[in-house]
Amino acid sequence: MTAPSQEHPTSDPSHAELAAAGESSALVRPIAGLGATALDFLRAGLELYSVFVRTLYYVFRGRRERGALVKQMYEIGNRSVFFVSITMGFIGMILVYQSGLQLRRVIPDFTMLGATYIELLVRDLGPSIASLILTTRVGAGIAAEIGSMVVTEQVDALRMCAADPIDFLVVPRFLAGLVMTAALIVWASTVAYFTGALTAYFAYDLSFQTFFNTSLVDTGDVVTGVTKCIVYGAAIPVVSGYCGLSTFGGSEGVGWATTRAVVNSSLAIIVLDFFISGAGFLIF
């Protein structure tokens, strides 16, 4: 007669314990993912801040090479004139045409259409839309150029020569961006204003004398618009330069750096637009 078998305790986890551990892991995994994303975002913000501070430092204490600055002014300004003019021209026509359609539904009086349009153009639409357009060409170009120098180890060669890449690569583009972005925004806003006047004349039979009304533009509008021109002109080269310097992984990394430059610069413009517009509203 055989003895009945006895069950011995074992160290293997039961199904209930495995299920509980799986549920706990499923809850912790998204939180860990959010934490990692927040840490990456914070680290990127600190690195971007470091690039901005070092850029300002080398603006006053760095080397002076007039040829590099002129070349970047040509690349950023002259090569963008046609693209910005065509785009803002069509945007000006669309804005005035759509504004006229909405105005016709409320009060069929177009006498203040031009005055309202120039106020919005000076204060917000001109700087913001033109800067977003510039980001697609200038920001992508800066990131691609610096990123290519990173993957071909030209930036490492600069560091081996005790030269800071911020001073040699970012500062000329930063100074050129300040000057040429402001000039391009003024030019693009002028183009959008005149194409809007033509649209109002042909679509709504509004005379040029009535459309060219600047009575609503005051000092606050001009100061807010000029501030946006300067801030956007500084933000695009710094953000794009940072994306270019953080490139890794060969030619594929250059593509990612270009995409990140356009996305991050556009996001920076939108966020800065919110704060500058709010400050302008409170001050003026």
Side-chain angles (χ1 to χ4, degrees):
M1 184 176 180
T2 59
S5 61
Q6 297 181 353
E7 295 182 355
H8 299 285
T10 177
S11 59
D12 294 337
S14 64
H15 292 291
E17 291 174 340
L18 290 174
E23 293 178 358
S24 176
S25 177
L27 291 175
V28 170
R29 194 176 299 115
I31 298 175
L34 289 176
T37 303
L39 289 177
D40 291 340
F41 185 77
L42 178 61
R43 183 170 58 252
L46 292 175
E47 292 175 354
L48 178 60
Y49 176 75
S50 174
V51 171
F52 176 64
V53 172
R54 290 161 61 191
T55 300
L56 291 181
Y57 172 80
Y58 284 116
V59 166
F60 299 101
R61 303 294 299 273
R63 67 191 180 94
R64 298 287 185 273
E65 187 177 347
R66 188 175 179 179
L69 178 60
V70 173
K71 177 184 176 183
Q72 293 304 321
M73 291 178 69
Y74 177 79
E75 292 291 333
I76 294 175
N78 294 44
R79 289 185 178 274
S80 303
V81 169
F82 181 76
F83 174 58
V84 172
S85 300
I86 294 296
T87 309
M88 285 298 290
F90 279 101
I91 288 177
M93 290 189 286
I94 294 170
L95 287 176
V96 171
Y97 183 73
Q98 292 295 331
S99 299
L101 289 179
Q102 300 301 320
L103 188 63
R104 177 181 288 171
R105 296 176 181 177
V106 182
I107 48 173
D109 182 6
F110 298 100
T111 54
M112 296 302 292
L113 178 61
T116 307
Y117 178 59
I118 186 62
E119 183 188 22
L120 291 174
L121 202 61
V122 170
R123 190 182 187 92
D124 187 59
L125 296 181
S128 301
I129 297 177
S131 297
L132 290 174
I133 295 170
L134 277 176
T135 299
T136 61
R137 206 200 77 81
V138 175
I142 291 174
E145 187 175 2
I146 296 179
S148 299
M149 297 179 69
V150 170
V151 298
T152 55
E153 300 180 351
Q154 296 181 54
V155 174
D156 292 336
L158 281 176
R159 292 194 177 98
M160 291 179 64
C161 297
D164 195 325
I166 301 292
D167 189 17
F168 277 79
L169 301 178
V170 178
V171 169
R173 292 166 175 82
F174 175 79
L175 295 175
L178 283 177
V179 176
M180 301 312 294
T181 300
L184 284 172
I185 287 175
V186 172
W187 167 251
S189 300
T190 304
V191 172
Y193 188 48
F194 278 94
T195 56
L198 291 173
T199 304
Y201 177 77
F202 289 107
Y204 305 113
D205 197 22
L206 185 65
S207 66
F208 294 117
Q209 185 177 4
T210 304
F211 188 87
F212 294 142
N213 181 3
T214 59
S215 60
L216 295 182
V217 179
D218 56 19
T219 304
D221 299 325
V222 177
V223 172
T224 303
V226 172
T227 302
K228 290 181 179 179
C229 293
I230 297 172
V231 173
Y232 297 162
I236 294 174
V238 171
V239 174
S240 303
Y242 160 73
C243 293
L245 289 173
S246 59
T247 302
F248 62 94
S251 58
E252 185 179 356
V254 176
W256 278 107
T258 304
T259 303
R260 286 196 300 127
V262 175
V263 172
N264 294 341
S265 298
S266 301
L267 181 62
I269 290 171
I270 297 299
V271 173
L272 291 171
D273 183 34
F274 173 78
F275 286 106
I276 296 174
S277 297
F281 177 77
L282 294 176
I283 295 173
F284 301 104

